[in-house]
Structures are given as C-alpha cells and as structure tokens.
Amino acid sequence: MAFSCSKILLNDDLSSDKKRKCTLIPGDGVGPELVHSVIEVFKAANVPVTFDMFFLSEIQHSLSAPLDAVANSITTNGICLKGVLTSPDYSRTGELQTLNMKLRRALDLYANVVHVKSLPGVKARYHDVDVVIIREQIEGEYSALEHESVRGVVECLKIVTAKRSQRIAKFAFDYAVRNNRKKVTAVHKANIMKLGDGLFLKSCRDISTLYPKIEFETMIVDNATMQMVSNPYQFDILVMPNLYGNIIDNLASGLVGGAGIVPGSSFSDDCVVFEPGARHSFAEAVGKNLANPTALLLCASKMLNHINLPYYGDMIRNAVNNVLKDGKIKTKDIGGHATTDEFTFAVINHLNVQ
C-alpha cells in the first residue's frame, strides 16, 4: 500500500496532549486540494488540532487505507473531517455497497444533517434561506439488496424498520429543540409505498406526540420538491428516508449557490463525520486550483464548535463570511475568477487571530 495514514501536526508550540485529535479523509476529486486549504487556515488560526489523515478511495483502491483502520480512527477520535468519496458504477467494482455505505454502516452514521443557509455576497435565486434537511442514511433504498431474478428482471429491496424510523424522527425533533427550531416536516411517499413509507410516516407521527411544542406536518416527496423550489421559506426542518434526502439536500443546495458552499454532517451515537452537504467531487477541476473550499471550511468550523473550540470555529466561519461579503475574491462556481489558493489566502487575511 503506497499510502494509508499520515499525521499532520498543527501548532508546534502546543504540547500534543493539549491538542484534539481528528480523523481527516481528503476524499476524491478536488478533495485533497480543499483539505490543503483547511490545513493552511488551521495553521494560520493556531487551531489546537492534530489530524490523523487517511486516504480512502473506491476509485484508487490500491492506494486506499483499510476501511477498518479508518473506522477505528474515527471511533477513537470521535470526530472526522471528510471530503466527498466518488462511487464508481457496479460494472467497475462488482460491489453493490459503495465505500460510503460501508463506512456509514461500520460507524452507524444514521443521521445526515445538511444545513442549507444563504451566505452573504453569494448571488442565488433566493436570499435568507435557512433550512435543515435530515435524512436517515442506513437503510431505505440504499440497502444494497438487489438481484437479477431472471435475465432482464432486477428486484431491489427497500428496507424500512420502525426502530430506525423512530430513531431518525427523534433525532430531528431533538435537533429542533436544541436549535430553537419551530417545525418538523416529514417527507414521504406513503400514498404509493403504503407499507414501507407508511411505516416511516407512522413512526414520525408517533414521535411527534412527544414534542407538543414543535409543529409537525407531512408532505409527499414530489410535492416537497416543488414546494422547495417555489417557496423554501415555508420549511424549517425536514426529515425523510434515505433517497429522498439525498435528492432534496442537493436540490436545496442549488437554491443558495451550489455544492461548493453547503456544509453537512453525519451522526452516530458515538461520533460525527463532517462533510460537504452536496456530494460533488468536481473531478473535472482536479489540479486546476479552481475549487471552492467554502463548504469544507464551514464543515471544519462546525467541527470545531462541536468539540468545544467555538473561538476557532467562529473565527473561521466569520472569516469565510467576510470574504464572501466583501465580494472581491470569489471562485468560478459563485461568479468569480479566483483560484482556490487565492480564496484560502483571503480567508487567512480575514482571520482575527489574538
């Protein structure tokens, strides 16, 4: 194996026992370039973090670290910053489960949270959008249970359980309480998938009775997509099964500026993986120094707040927002001509380091 793990030390003036360890997965496409941006910003901000970096990839399998080693590192550290992993098609790998699916199941990362929020200075179709999309990401359509029963006929099983449906519903309502949110919308297709989505919908309704102060509504998924592009302001928190969430969080990301600016995170009971909210590797931009590091920098900011380093998390978030608000340095995806390095240096120049 040419590469598996490396340790990146930041803030050499701090002893190692005063630094928080974090697993770092650069990912595919422009992921390594974006991770380099985060590392440079962390160094400039004197963030007390040590990175255990693992190269994990399904398209460069021979160079990839073992999944068990990566999962053990995340379990030990409790936190991970991760770029997007590209999932090749079945004809190339012969695997039904993608590496993303394997990692989520190894860690039981059952809740994916994407906070779609308008950013200052980013021109988009809507302004002042503030929506949280929560998806169950262990079961549903992503169960990898497919087979060809006879030639030309494929059966695909969608798995829905009461236990996991109730768990993601409770996570959504708990998130609403912790973050002073007022409404939860359960998105479903129970009018057609009466048993599977019907069970998910019933689980959400049952859990909603435990939170009488949180408004609860339901919406069929096709209507939800139309409503999202027509009037995103009506939504606060949306909770839904796996496939619907993957579609809607990418759709919503496009309303505020695209995949380059929206952060996300995946939760288990024991660890959190911070990763871009819209899963786009921008493979066409690899090596061209053109990728937007905003999403991964905001992921890093959220990670620092999560591990009780709000001073550094807020500093980085404010620096990113100030660069965007200033409007002089923008990458191509949000209407500018700046390179990844130029955007990174601008963020560093806006850091308010004490």
Side-chain angles (χ1 to χ4, degrees):
M1 182 178 297
F3 180 89
S4 60
C5 172
S6 62
K7 188 179 291 283
I8 300 175
L9 300 177
L10 306 177
N11 310 319
D12 293 338
D13 57 321
L14 293 176
S15 61
S16 59
D17 61 345
K18 293 183 179 179
K19 299 174 185 177
R20 181 65 188 267
K21 282 189 177 181
C22 170
T23 304
L24 179 63
I25 302 173
D28 296 310
V30 296
E33 297 173 56
L34 302 183
V35 161
H36 176 73
S37 174
V38 171
I39 291 172
E40 291 301 310
V41 171
F42 271 39
K43 287 180 179 178
N46 297 318
V47 178
V49 166
T50 298
F51 284 126
D52 287 334
M53 185 164 71
F54 289 83
F55 181 73
L56 187 66
S57 175
E58 199 167 3
I59 60 174
Q60 300 185 63
H61 182 72
S62 62
L63 302 178
S64 181
L67 180 63
D68 288 347
V70 178
N72 288 338
S73 174
I74 297 173
T75 300
T76 300
N77 295 329
I79 49 170
C80 173
L81 184 64
K82 171 181 169 289
V84 174
L85 300 182
T86 298
S87 298
D89 60 35
Y90 174 77
S91 62
R92 287 186 54 190
T93 65
E95 284 274 354
L96 290 176
Q97 283 195 52
T98 67
L99 194 54
N100 270 319
M101 292 166 65
K102 292 177 181 178
L103 182 63
R104 291 168 191 160
R105 290 178 180 175
L107 299 171
D108 194 27
L109 294 168
Y110 68 91
N112 178 251
V113 179
V114 177
H115 189 180
V116 179
K117 184 177 175 64
S118 299
L119 295 180
V122 177
K123 292 183 179 180
R125 184 172 297 275
Y126 294 99
H127 301 283
D128 301 321
V129 174
D130 188 356
V131 179
V132 177
I133 301 166
I134 298 175
R135 64 184 275 225
E136 202 289 326
Q137 63 175 6
I138 297 295
E139 53 182 18
E141 296 84 355
Y142 291 14
S143 300
L145 295 173
E146 298 179 278
H147 65 277
E148 189 173 22
S149 52
V150 298
R151 185 178 296 276
V153 178
V154 173
E155 294 179 305
C156 178
L157 299 181
K158 171 178 176 175
I159 306 299
V160 181
T161 64
K163 180 179 179 181
R164 285 178 172 156
S165 296
Q166 291 169 359
R167 180 171 68 166
I168 194 65
K170 187 176 187 304
F171 181 95
F173 279 96
D174 286 342
Y175 186 99
V177 172
R178 289 195 307 269
N179 294 277
N180 197 30
R181 296 277 176 163
K182 306 300 182 185
K183 183 172 72 170
V184 172
T185 303
V187 178
H188 64 94
K189 192 63 176 174
N191 58 321
I192 302 298
M193 286 171 275
K194 300 182 186 298
L195 296 181
D197 279 27
L199 176 58
F200 177 85
L201 183 57
K202 179 181 183 301
S203 299
C204 291
R205 281 178 171 150
D206 290 346
I207 294 297
S208 72
T209 62
L210 304 177
Y211 299 82
K213 295 183 179 180
I214 304 297
E215 181 183 351
F216 175 69
E217 67 174 6
T218 68
M219 190 172 292
I220 296 173
V221 61
D222 39 344
N223 183 36
T225 56
M226 181 188 70
Q227 295 294 333
M228 178 63 73
V229 299
S230 301
N231 179 21
Y233 306 108
Q234 66 185 288
F235 296 115
D236 194 355
I237 291 178
L238 297 94
V239 61
M240 62 200 76
N242 213 331
L243 178 61
Y244 311 154
N246 198 12
I247 293 170
I248 289 181
D249 61 32
N250 281 269
L251 181 150
S253 296
L255 299 181
V256 298
I261 66 170
V262 179
S265 51
S266 294
F267 292 80
S268 76
D269 290 336
D270 302 311
C271 59
V272 188
V273 175
F274 294 88
E275 56 191 335
R279 290 159 185 80
H280 195 318
S281 63
F282 296 100
E284 69 281 358
V286 174
K288 297 180 181 178
N289 195 26
L290 296 175
N292 188 345
T294 297
L296 203 60
L297 285 169
L298 293 178
C299 287
S301 170
K302 288 179 176 290
M303 181 191 77
L304 293 173
N305 280 277
H306 177 76
I307 60 175
N308 201 28
L309 293 172
Y311 168 77
Y312 299 97
D314 292 347
M315 182 199 304
I316 292 173
R317 187 191 69 248
N318 291 336
V320 171
N321 285 340
N322 286 334
V323 171
L324 294 173
K325 185 176 181 180
D326 189 48
K328 296 178 181 178
I329 305 294
K330 291 183 177 181
T331 49
K332 185 177 179 179
D333 61 311
I334 54 174
H337 302 281
T339 65
T340 307
D341 288 343
E342 288 170 340
F343 190 92
T344 302
F345 295 148
V347 172
I348 290 172
N349 288 333
H350 279 80
L351 292 172
N352 183 23
V353 182
Q354 299 295 326

